[in-house]
Amino acid sequence: MKGERVLITGIGAVSAIGLGANRLFEGALSCRSGVRPWPDASSRWVAATIPESGSLCCMPALPTNLDRHVAIASLAIREAMQDARLEPLSQDRSERSGAYWGTGAGSAATVEDSYARLHADQRIRPLTVLLGMQNAALAQIAVEFGLRGPQLAVSQACASAAAAIGEALLALRWGRADRIIVGGSDAPVVRSQLLAWESLRVLARRDDDVPEQSCRPFDRRRSGLVLGEGAAAFVLERESVAAARGAPVHAELCGYGNAGDASHYAKPDPDGQARAMKQALADAGLAPEDIGYLNAHATATGVGDVSEAEAIRRVFAESRTMPAVSSTKAIHGHTLGAAGALELAVAVLALERGCLPPTAHLEIPNVEGLDLVHGAPRECSIEAAMSNTFAFGGSNVSLAVRRYTD
């Protein structure tokens, strides 16, 4: 017995493409890159940063001292709530409405500011502990939107948002809440984070001719990942609750797989990734051939892209058809703990609108056996899609969605 079906009734997103889930998806279809030199044109670094105009500046009624990842989380949730046509929650509905949120780097800007003050012999800000805690976004979300149901803060590196979404699915199936506002946010584009990732030797080299194309998943010319900042949020509701209020429905969230490698901090294991995908399929009651599109984790590192391609081949080897595969990190960057939410949003909109986004900047594929979407969007009607999110530490999460029919 699986419990009640869980529906996605609202989606919101903030990314390097701009404000809004629609803008994110349209950018993915057109391969419009949000990657740019950081902090200025002379820098050796590139990053996928949120355009200031029309996004963060239009956030009234938020405390000015919030960490950046908390502020963009709030903005994504505002859009998701509006998209779901949720009115302000009454007390009884508030107590049945939860908040689950994921972040990897957490309050990176707050931490960097605190160390700068420490080394300059300046006073640390009084609210540093509160602003820098890993559940800072969750606390702001609950207070701002009056969510008094179950809460869960997830910090599972790059798999944080995906794991939060999966755990929310389980909680809703079994009636722990009527709805859960869920997603993830990260804003790791600060000097200390860039230096740390550069030291790990996984950052992409800046393409001096076309900096916006420095991230190239699945391409022979790839040189590494590009850090990005962003947030995405979903309103998840039990089917009976959504039906009772006549809520709009984007898709059914139907499958969750969570598997660990237990082998290495940084080297991915195709076996763990394949098990996560198989778990998601089994949880959803789907066969491999039911998946029409797969949004890959592919970050544009050599080891990571090759390992995921191997895992996908293992899962779909005996399927009558391979799913179409693409990675959208080429345009919005690797948003760490927010990645699973942003990329699930793309997968849901691809399912809903019948148009699959290509992997931007992919010209010379060097992984075999995959049906890679590149060059242009692919129009096709699909019934189910999957999103992969894998993390340092050997955490692998896969989520499955399908077209909703009542």
Side-chain angles (χ1 to χ4, degrees), residues 94-150:
S94 170
E95 292 175 357
R96 295 287 299 166
S97 300
Y100 283 31
W101 203 255
T103 185
S107 299
T110 297
V111 172
E112 182 165 284
D113 174 76
S114 297
Y115 277 108
R117 289 170 180 266
L118 177 67
H119 290 298
D121 290 326
Q122 296 176 357
R123 184 188 180 206
I124 303 296
R125 292 189 295 172
L127 297 181
T128 295
V129 170
L130 302 179
L131 297 174
M133 60 192 186
Q134 287 297 100
N135 66 328
L138 181 67
Q140 175 64 29
I141 290 164
V143 170
E144 183 176 350
F145 299 99
L147 305 173
R148 302 198 299 160

Side-chain angles (χ1 to χ4, degrees), residues 8 10-15 24 76 100-105 154-167 182-186 228-234 236 253 255-258 293-299 308 326-329 332-349 385-392 395-401:
I8 298 171
I11 305 175
V14 183
S15 71
L24 168 67
Y100 283 31
W101 203 255
T103 185
V154 178
S155 187
Q156 200 168 323
C158 305
S160 298
I165 293 166
E167 295 302 316
V182 62
S185 59
D186 252 328
E229 56 182 4
F234 301 89
L236 302 184
L253 178 64
Y256 170 41
N258 189 329
Y293 171 64
L294 192 154
N295 187 293
H297 180 68
T299 63
E308 184 173 11
S326 69
S327 169
T328 51
K329 286 187 174 69
H332 57 65
H334 190 357
T335 56
L336 304 187
L342 273 172
E343 292 157 31
L344 181 65
V346 171
V348 170
L349 293 174
M386 179 177 285
S387 179
N388 284 343
T389 312
F390 307 140
F392 280 160
S395 295
N396 308 296
V397 176
S398 295
L399 297 167
V401 292

Side-chain angles (χ1 to χ4, degrees), residues 52-127:
E52 293 296 328
S53 60
S55 15
L56 299 187
C57 61
C58 66
M59 300 179 63
L62 273 179
T64 57
N65 60 356
L66 289 179
D67 188 86
R68 188 174 177 87
H69 94 282
V70 178
I72 61 177
S74 174
L75 189 55
I77 292 170
R78 291 179 186 192
E79 182 190 7
M81 298 275 278
Q82 183 177 20
D83 183 43
R85 301 176 195 163
L86 268 180
E87 301 294 332
L89 300 173
S90 61
Q91 179 168 326
D92 58 336
R93 291 173 69 196
S94 170
E95 292 175 357
R96 295 287 299 166
S97 300
Y100 283 31
W101 203 255
T103 185
S107 299
T110 297
V111 172
E112 182 165 284
D113 174 76
S114 297
Y115 277 108
R117 289 170 180 266
L118 177 67
H119 290 298
D121 290 326
Q122 296 176 357
R123 184 188 180 206
I124 303 296
R125 292 189 295 172
L127 297 181

Side-chain angles (χ1 to χ4, degrees), residues 62-393:
L62 273 179
T64 57
N65 60 356
L66 289 179
D67 188 86
R68 188 174 177 87
H69 94 282
V70 178
I72 61 177
S74 174
L75 189 55
I77 292 170
R78 291 179 186 192
E79 182 190 7
M81 298 275 278
Q82 183 177 20
D83 183 43
R85 301 176 195 163
L86 268 180
E87 301 294 332
L89 300 173
S90 61
Q91 179 168 326
D92 58 336
R93 291 173 69 196
S94 170
E95 292 175 357
R96 295 287 299 166
S97 300
Y100 283 31
W101 203 255
T103 185
S107 299
T110 297
V111 172
E112 182 165 284
D113 174 76
S114 297
Y115 277 108
R117 289 170 180 266
L118 177 67
H119 290 298
D121 290 326
Q122 296 176 357
R123 184 188 180 206
I124 303 296
R125 292 189 295 172
L127 297 181
T128 295
V129 170
L130 302 179
L131 297 174
M133 60 192 186
Q134 287 297 100
N135 66 328
L138 181 67
Q140 175 64 29
I141 290 164
V143 170
E144 183 176 350
F145 299 99
L147 305 173
R148 302 198 299 160
Q151 295 185 2
L152 181 66
V154 178
S155 187
Q156 200 168 323
C158 305
S160 298
I165 293 166
E167 295 302 316
L169 168 64
L170 300 182
L172 287 167
R173 276 179 180 168
W174 297 108
R176 298 293 301 276
D178 288 339
R179 70 182 53 81
I180 295 179
I181 312 304
V182 62
S185 59
D186 252 328
V189 185
V190 296
R191 181 176 174 80
S192 58
Q193 284 282 322
L194 283 159
L195 285 168
W197 285 90
E198 185 177 61
S199 181
L200 195 57
R201 299 182 179 178
V202 296
L203 281 188
R205 295 187 298 273
R206 169 176 164 165
D207 186 317
D208 291 329
D209 295 327
V210 277
E212 65 274 12
Q213 295 185 20
S214 297
C215 183
R216 298 186 174 98
F218 295 129
D219 193 287
R220 188 179 303 281
R221 302 165 299 160
R222 64 179 174 255
S223 62
L225 62 86
V226 170
L227 282 185
E229 56 182 4
F234 301 89
V235 177
L236 302 184
E237 298 187 80
R238 297 167 60 204
E239 183 180 32
S240 59
V241 174
R245 69 179 190 87
V249 178
H250 290 283
E252 178 187 355
L253 178 64
C254 56
Y256 170 41
N258 189 329
D261 292 344
S263 58
H264 197 278
Y265 266 64
K267 184 179 179 181
D269 182 354
D271 179 65
Q273 297 174 351
R275 282 187 288 112
M277 285 184 270
K278 289 177 180 178
Q279 287 177 13
L281 289 171
D283 187 45
L286 294 171
E289 54 265 28
D290 294 328
I291 301 296
Y293 171 64
L294 192 154
N295 187 293
H297 180 68
T299 63
T301 63
V303 173
D305 288 8
V306 170
S307 296
E308 184 173 11
E310 169 62 22
I312 294 170
R313 287 194 297 269
R314 290 185 189 181
V315 173
F316 295 94
E318 298 181 5
S319 174
R320 295 190 302 273
T321 58
M322 289 288 288
V325 177
S326 69
S327 169
T328 51
K329 286 187 174 69
I331 63 157
H332 57 65
H334 190 357
T335 56
L336 304 187
L342 273 172
E343 292 157 31
L344 181 65
V346 171
V348 170
L349 293 174
L351 172 73
E352 185 176 30
R353 300 181 187 182
C355 195
L356 312 183
T359 300
H361 328 317
L362 175 55
E363 297 175 4
I364 313 172
N366 78 332
V367 294
E368 298 178 353
L370 300 187
D371 178 14
L372 294 173
V373 184
H374 64 102
R378 183 184 300 177
E379 293 188 6
C380 63
S381 178
I382 60 174
E383 294 302 314
M386 179 177 285
S387 179
N388 284 343
T389 312
F390 307 140
F392 280 160

